[in-house]
Amino acid sequence: MSDPMRPPVSHDCPQPTSQRSGPSRSRASLRTAVVWEVLQGALDQRVKATGRESLDVLDTGGGSGNFAVPVARLGHRVTVVDPSPNALFALERRAAEAGVADRVHGVQGDAHGLFEVIERGGYDAVLCHGVLEYVDDPAEGLANAVAALRPEGVLSLLAAGLGGAVFARALAGHFTEARQALSDPEGRWGEGDPMPRRFTAEQLTALAEGAGLAVRAVHGVRVFADLVPGVLLDTEPGALDALLQLEEAAAELPAFHSVATQIHVLGETGGPAGA
């Protein structure tokens, strides 16, 4: 779903709760833990609501399967739409290695031509992660993602947060760039900024509601993880687990949304907001 300028999708896969404990936990899990917990819970709820053990899931801009493969491991059927042939090749390889090749299907396409390659209204859940930053029209891109849902479905929306970028530039001593990001309509700190667009929690929530979603939850993602020195996590016993618990505790608090690296919004079709 992304622009050709979009950087490669991370190869760090989230792990289900039962697999993400003890020695298997890694620094990479800090980047996906909060989103994965929320997403897995939402999928479980859809399973109960539909009475079907296997859901049809669409991952827009899913790249090499960062979330698609773990979702398929849960037993769901996942369609990944991405403009990069290389990413889709990596997806196919990863799905095969994970033993879920029969449940993961990659299709080349983008956000604005979504229904040229997939079915409208054919999915129980849609993932729209790291897409709105890169499309020409975020409202249209999100509207297409919502239109791919069945009358009662769930959408997981993840996008770059403005506050996290401002905070990071300031801590690095780039105060002019931090101020530029605050005043720039797209939240960019300058010509060299690789991110085309950033959002506040309020902006992302408004986009979701404008696309017809009832917003069920908003989370700040990577509030602390990108600021903690790696050497501390590598040398301090228990630091990684403690930091992950801190991330999960802060994620739901609105006060921390304004400094998160990413903002996650969970929305549903088929019901009024706040129901």
Side-chain angles (χ1 to χ4, degrees):
M1 308 308 297
S2 56
D3 181 287
M5 294 176 60
R6 182 178 175 183
V9 176
S10 168
H11 284 224
D12 300 323
C13 285
Q15 297 295 326
T17 303
S18 60
Q19 297 180 21
R20 214 180 51 232
S21 59
S24 65
R25 188 166 291 181
S26 68
R27 256 185 282 173
S29 68
L30 290 169
R31 294 176 172 270
T32 57
V34 169
V35 178
W36 177 250
E37 293 295 337
V38 175
L39 176 60
Q40 187 173 3
L43 293 175
D44 288 345
Q45 288 183 357
R46 292 310 307 152
V47 165
K48 293 177 183 178
T50 62
R52 293 183 281 111
E53 294 185 358
S54 182
L55 302 176
D56 294 306
V57 179
L58 173 67
D59 189 353
T60 63
S64 60
N66 190 27
F67 279 88
V69 169
V71 168
R73 285 196 190 115
L74 297 177
H76 305 303
R77 297 175 294 272
V78 186
T79 298
V80 176
V81 178
D82 196 276
S84 169
N86 290 337
L88 293 174
F89 178 78
L91 167 71
E92 183 178 356
R93 183 177 63 237
R94 174 182 284 174
E97 292 172 351
V100 294
D102 59 328
R103 294 198 293 274
V104 177
H105 177 55
V107 182
Q108 189 173 359
D110 59 41
H112 297 299
L114 187 61
F115 300 114
E116 296 174 8
V117 295
I118 61 102
E119 176 187 359
R120 184 185 295 269
Y123 297 89
D124 300 293
V126 172
L127 280 58
C128 186
H129 294 174
V131 172
L132 298 192
E133 300 94 322
Y134 298 91
V135 296
D136 292 335
D137 185 341
E140 180 186 347
L142 183 56
N144 282 349
V146 172
L149 285 167
R150 287 176 173 147
E152 293 187 359
V154 62
L155 188 140
S156 175
L157 175 62
L158 182 68
L162 171 62
V166 173
F167 205 61
R169 299 314 288 174
L171 287 181
H174 303 299
F175 307 121
T176 301
E177 292 179 349
R179 184 174 180 181
Q180 171 65 22
L182 276 176
S183 61
D184 186 80
E186 305 295 347
R188 304 182 75 240
W189 46 256
E191 292 288 333
D193 192 340
M195 186 65 67
R197 187 183 295 111
R198 294 184 179 89
F199 301 88
T200 64
E202 292 77 14
Q203 289 171 334
L204 210 57
T205 299
L207 279 170
E209 292 175 342
L213 291 171
V215 173
R216 300 308 186 198
V218 180
H219 294 85
V221 180
R222 291 157 57 190
V223 175
F224 307 103
D226 294 347
L227 304 176
V228 175
V231 65
L232 187 152
L233 298 179
D234 292 336
T235 58
E236 186 71 21
L240 188 61
D241 283 345
L243 178 56
L244 180 53
Q245 291 172 17
L246 177 61
E247 286 281 350
E248 291 173 340
E252 296 186 17
L253 301 178
F256 290 98
H257 296 170
S258 60
V259 294
T261 299
Q262 295 176 305
I263 304 297
H264 182 247
V265 173
L266 185 74
E268 294 180 351
T269 55

